[in-house]
Amino acid sequence: MNTLYIKSFLSGIFLAFLLAGCQDDDDLFSGQDNFITALSLEQGGTAYHASFLGDSIIVTVPDNVSLKGATVSYTLSENASVKPDPASVSNWDEEMLFAVKSWNGTQKTYRYTINRNSIDTKGTVVLSTQEEVDAFGELGVTSISGNLIIGQKTGADSITSLAALYQLKEVAYSLVIHPTYAAGEIVGLDALKRVGGEINITSVEKLSDVEFPGLEVAGSISFTSRHMYTVAFPALVRVTNRININCPLNSISFPALQQAEGALNISDSYSGGMLSRLSFPMLKEAGSMAILQLVSATRLEAPELEQCADLNLSYLNSLEMIYFPKLREVTGKITFPTTSKLTELSFPALEKAGGLDIRDGNISSFDFPSLAEISNDLFMQRLALENLDCFGALTAIGGTLEINNFSNMKTFTPPPSLKRAGKLAFSYYAATPPEEIDLSGMDIGELSVAGSVLTGTKIKGDDEFNGTLTIDASASVPSGKTAVFPSLEGFSVVDSLSFGGYISYLQVIDARGIRKIKKGLRIPNGNEAEFYMPDLEEVGGDFIISSMGSLAGERLEFPKLQTIAGNFDVAILSMNVRSLSFPMLESVGGYLELNTGYVFDLSWAGILYQYCLSSVSFPSLNTINGRLTIQGNSDSESNNLLTNLDGFSALISVAGVEVTGQSVLVSYEGLKNALPSFTADGWDATNNAYNPTYEELSSGTWVQP
């Protein structure tokens, strides 16, 4: 077989196989493919190729590119058809559906969508002039990764329009508009949806109307201007930090705001606004909230607000209505206006509050039916309330419950559920106090009754009062009135007894019934003329009396007092009192310091004032754990009536003794039993009529030779 024949034979076999393969392909075609296999759009000489994700056709273009009128190129599966025909579409900026039908009639649907890429500029952008605003706008920037600063702090007005910034959607940090912005409103930022930092507009004098129609999220908002009258944020949902607007507002709108996570402060320190209604219809959560100095505001509404920190409503003289029907918790304090046109307060859902401050005497109706806990103070002043039934659910007050000048409250009884308060204070300087205060069953850290007139008030409590009882009458007394210690029912045992500061006007202290003071007793300097504590048996802390310069009687006595656990520090500097007596006192846990008084010598004018004790009596006192000090008022002001220390004859144990400033003292025999309990280092006698040494006393020379 020759070579040519072999080549011809093989070529024939290959051709036969090739024909057979083609025939097999024809046999496999079923006409069921219904795919768009490629699609691209050309606009302005640039082609934008689609990507396919499942049944989605996605074309990605920059934010500033419009695909209206773009030319389309596409391919389909063999013998497939599509409706609508892509060649017939003119607006490729809109989503649409394409139905692709195969040769055998099966159909597949594609969704066409457009994905826009932001045009971002890095860092801070400063636009100081109108020309710079317009030039920047031509860049088509949609996102700024830094700050946007418009205008300058000082200089001539230079910017009249922001229309060129119509494509801007986001500023990552702050947006600042400086005073050289010269337009009366903001036009051109309608597309702005997010400002990560602060929107700050301060002292822009010509800007009267501010609106950000598309803004949804901001870090902070800070507007301060005497010329800004309208503020509107129709789409704003969330502010991550604070809102601070201080302007003479006529209109303000936050219809979509749900969260103000920092401070929300709306005020008008310029007192020029005519805003009558302030409403936050969608607000659910706020940080501290302060609405201040809106002189024309009559209504304040937050119908969806559930919680906030402080709520400060001050200097709202025209306010007639507060509407917070869903407010459940205020972690800080609610401060209500001191002067307003409010006649009622209603917080039906409020369960917890840090504190309440209510001082408006025009309010006659209160409704806090769900309020169970106040963690700090409840302060109420000049209210027309007769009782506290409006707080029917209140169980605890962590701080102070203060009742201040309630003219209609004749009897105070706490709400039945209120069992605990850190302090209960009654302050009456401009009204007559209640005739009776009933605290039976309450756990109170301190009961304070303060005012100019306490006459006739009865305070009822448990026999053991585990708190401080403070009686303070430091204000002037109206003509014809006398301030006296209230009568007590119960209070046999008290934690401590205090009289506040200087007792200026409390003229009678009659603390009958108090048997035990667990802590200390301090009676400060004052003008009391009468003093009685006939039942006191025990003081668990310090026992301190200062001066009592106005006492009228000749004798001051604590007839039943047996034990003082702390220090004894007493000064009786009265022209009338000559005798101090503690007949049952057995021990003093600390030191005992006694100021026996002094002489104020004006003999050159024929006057001699004696503020001196002539007798001190401690006949049962056997132990002083500290030092015994008996002294005059000072080195130059000595006692000239006390001649002996016989009142200490039962004393057998003391850490040391100092006697000074007793100009007629000649006998120390009352210390005879105490002398062995201390050493010579513990003895000091100076500036007395007789100043024996420790050795002289030890040798028996107790009386001046």
Side-chain angles (χ1 to χ4, degrees):
M1 188 177 289
N2 62 36
T3 302
L4 180 60
Y5 176 78
I6 292 173
K7 289 182 177 180
S8 299
F9 177 75
L10 291 175
S11 297
I13 293 174
F14 174 77
L15 181 60
F17 276 108
L18 181 61
L19 292 173
C22 291
Q23 184 63 47
D24 288 343
D25 286 342
D26 289 341
D27 290 344
L28 292 174
F29 177 73
S30 60
Q32 62 183 4
D33 292 342
N34 47 15
F35 305 116
I36 298 177
T37 58
L39 186 143
S40 64
L41 300 170
E42 184 177 333
Q43 183 74 302
T46 303
Y48 301 99
H49 300 284
S51 59
F52 292 83
L53 183 62
D55 296 338
S56 296
I57 305 171
I58 304 169
V59 175
T60 300
V61 295
D63 259 340
N64 63 337
V65 173
S66 173
L67 292 178
K68 290 182 179 179
T71 302
V72 64
S73 299
Y74 67 97
T75 58
L76 303 175
S77 299
E78 183 180 0
N79 293 326
S81 60
V82 59
K83 289 185 179 180
D85 183 356
S88 68
V89 175
S90 60
N91 185 5
W92 289 94
D93 283 338
E94 297 180 351
E95 287 191 0
M96 66 192 78
L97 299 177
F98 291 103
V100 181
K101 184 180 289 187
S102 66
W103 181 82
N104 70 357
T106 60
Q107 184 169 297
K108 179 181 179 66
T109 301
Y110 286 89
R111 177 180 294 276
Y112 164 82
T113 60
I114 186 168
N115 177 42
R116 294 194 177 275
N117 280 335
S118 296
I119 299 177
D120 188 18
T121 184
K122 306 296 182 183
T124 292
V125 175
V126 179
L127 306 177
S128 300
T129 64
Q130 186 64 55
E131 291 75 16
E132 291 178 358
V133 171
D134 295 341
F136 184 76
E138 291 179 1
L139 300 176
V141 172
T142 59
S143 176
I144 297 174
S145 62
N147 302 302
L148 173 58
I149 300 175
I150 297 171
Q152 301 179 70
K153 293 181 179 180
T154 59
D157 295 341
S158 59
I159 298 176
T160 57
S161 174
L162 301 179
L165 306 181
Y166 71 95
Q167 298 180 82
L168 185 62
K169 294 183 178 181
E170 180 176 0
V171 176
Y173 289 94
S174 294
L175 167 61
V176 180
I177 299 180
H178 280 317
T180 56
Y181 184 78
E185 56 185 350
I186 295 176
V187 176
L189 297 179
D190 293 11
L192 187 62
K193 294 184 178 297
R194 183 180 183 276
V195 175
E198 182 177 66
I199 303 176
N200 186 297
I201 304 175
T202 302
S203 301
V204 182
E205 294 190 0
K206 295 185 179 180
L207 182 59
S208 60
D209 301 319
V210 175
E211 181 175 4
F212 288 84
L215 190 70
E216 298 174 355
V217 178
S220 294
I221 296 170
S222 181
F223 297 165
T224 302
S225 172
R226 66 175 61 251
H227 302 287
M228 193 180 297
Y229 302 109
T230 301
V231 173
F233 289 87
L236 186 64
V237 174
R238 181 181 177 216
V239 176
T240 59
N241 200 336
R242 63 188 178 93
I243 298 174
N244 186 18
I245 298 175
N246 180 15
C247 304
L249 297 167
N250 294 333
S251 174
I252 186 170
S253 177
F254 288 90
L257 184 64
Q258 297 181 22
Q259 289 178 292
E261 298 174 14
L264 172 54
N265 301 327
I266 309 295
S267 63
D268 176 11
S269 63
Y270 309 102
S271 300
M274 300 300 292
L275 182 70
S276 61
R277 177 182 178 184
L278 181 60
S279 179
F280 299 94
M282 300 298 291
L283 185 64
K284 294 183 178 181
E285 181 180 348
S288 61
M289 188 173 180
I291 311 299
L292 312 172
Q293 300 171 297
L294 303 181
V295 296
S296 299
T298 60
R299 294 170 64 92
L300 176 60
E301 301 173 349
E304 299 297 323
L305 185 65
E306 296 181 358
Q307 67 180 54
C308 67
D310 291 323
L311 177 58
N312 186 0
L313 312 176
S314 298
Y315 306 105
L316 304 173
N317 294 357
S318 301
L319 192 64
E320 298 175 0
M321 181 179 181
I322 300 173
Y323 186 56
F324 290 78
K326 295 184 180 180
L327 185 60
R328 293 183 296 100
E329 181 175 5
V330 177
T331 56
K333 181 170 70 173
I334 305 178
T335 302
F336 295 98
T338 56
T339 303
S340 73
K341 294 183 179 179
L342 290 168
T343 58
E344 65 176 273
L345 284 181
S346 179
F347 284 77
L350 188 64
E351 298 173 358
K352 293 182 180 181
L356 298 180
D357 191 320
I358 310 171
R359 308 185 187 213
D360 191 344
N362 293 324
I363 303 173
S364 57
S365 175
F366 296 81
D367 186 25
F368 294 86
S370 303
L371 183 58
E373 181 180 349
I374 298 176
S375 57
N376 289 309
D377 301 334
L378 170 55
F379 181 91
M380 296 181 290
Q381 177 176 296
R382 300 192 314 272
L383 304 183
L385 290 175
E386 296 181 2
N387 53 59
L388 297 185
D389 292 350
C390 55
F391 297 99
L394 191 59
T395 61
I397 298 175
T400 299
L401 166 58
E402 180 158 347
I403 310 296
N404 190 307
N405 291 314
F406 278 27
S407 57
N408 294 338
M409 184 174 283
K410 304 304 181 185
T411 300
F412 173 82
T413 302
S417 58
L418 183 59
K419 299 300 181 183
R420 179 170 55 86
K423 179 178 179 179
L424 177 56
F426 294 87
S427 297
Y428 279 83
Y429 296 99
T432 302
E435 297 173 1
E436 182 174 288
I437 298 171
D438 190 352
L439 308 176
S440 302
M442 280 198 71
D443 178 11
I444 303 172
E446 179 181 359
L447 169 62
S448 173
V449 180
S452 58
V453 182
L454 302 172
T455 306
T457 299
K458 175 188 286 188
I459 303 177
K460 298 172 64 176
D462 297 334
D463 186 62
E464 183 168 348
F465 178 70
N466 294 311
T468 297
L469 177 60
T470 299
I471 308 298
D472 184 2
S474 57
S476 60
V477 180
S479 177
K481 299 292 185 178
T482 301
V484 302
F485 194 90
S487 62
L488 301 177
E489 183 176 313
F491 296 96
S492 175
V493 178
V494 300
D495 203 52
S496 59
L497 179 62
S498 173
F499 291 87
Y502 187 90
I503 308 176
S504 303
Y505 299 98
L506 187 59
Q507 294 163 297
V508 178
I509 298 177
D510 189 346
R512 300 175 194 271
I514 298 179
R515 181 178 56 81
K516 178 180 178 180
I517 300 174
K518 294 180 180 180
K519 295 180 180 177
L521 169 64
R522 181 181 182 274
I523 304 170
N525 196 6
N527 296 317
E528 62 274 23
E530 299 179 49
F531 180 88
Y532 309 100
M533 291 194 74
D535 301 310
L536 184 63
E537 299 174 2
E538 181 180 345
V539 175
D542 293 342
F543 182 93
I544 300 173
I545 298 177
S546 300
S547 183
M548 287 190 170
S550 298
L551 282 184
E554 291 187 3
R555 183 181 180 87
L556 177 62
E557 184 174 35
F558 290 81
K560 296 183 180 180
L561 183 58
Q562 299 177 24
T563 303
I564 296 173
N567 298 313
F568 179 106
D569 192 341
V570 173
I572 305 299
L573 307 177
S574 167
M575 290 183 64
N576 300 307
V577 178
R578 294 291 178 258
S579 175
L580 178 66
S581 177
F582 290 81
M584 303 294 290
L585 184 62
E586 297 177 353
S587 65
V588 174
Y591 63 77
L592 190 156
E593 186 170 304
L594 176 61
N595 186 332
T596 62
Y598 66 101
V599 173
F600 188 56
D601 190 353
L602 296 177
S603 55
W604 55 269
I607 300 174
L608 184 69
Y609 293 109
Q610 287 182 307
Y611 300 89
C612 298
L613 294 173
S614 61
S615 170
V616 292
S617 179
F618 295 82
S620 301
L621 181 62
N622 58 69
T623 302
I624 302 173
N625 286 330
R627 189 174 178 85
L628 169 62
T629 301
I630 300 171
Q631 61 188 15
N633 200 53
S634 68
D635 290 341
S636 61
E637 296 179 337
S638 300
N639 177 297
N640 71 344
L641 294 180
L642 185 65
T643 62
N644 63 72
L645 300 179
D646 292 349
F648 293 94
S649 59
L651 186 63
I652 60 175
S653 178
V654 64
V657 176
E658 178 183 359
V659 183
T660 181
Q662 311 298 315
S663 64
V664 297
L665 180 64
V666 294
S667 173
Y668 293 83
E669 196 163 5
L671 299 177
K672 181 183 297 185
N673 295 322
L675 188 65
S677 66
F678 60 91
T679 65
D681 292 340
W683 173 257
D684 184 12
T686 57
N687 296 323
N688 308 302
Y690 175 40
N691 300 296
T693 65
Y694 184 84
E695 289 73 18
E696 288 175 322
L697 295 180
S698 298
S699 65
T701 311
W702 296 98
V703 180
Q704 184 178 35

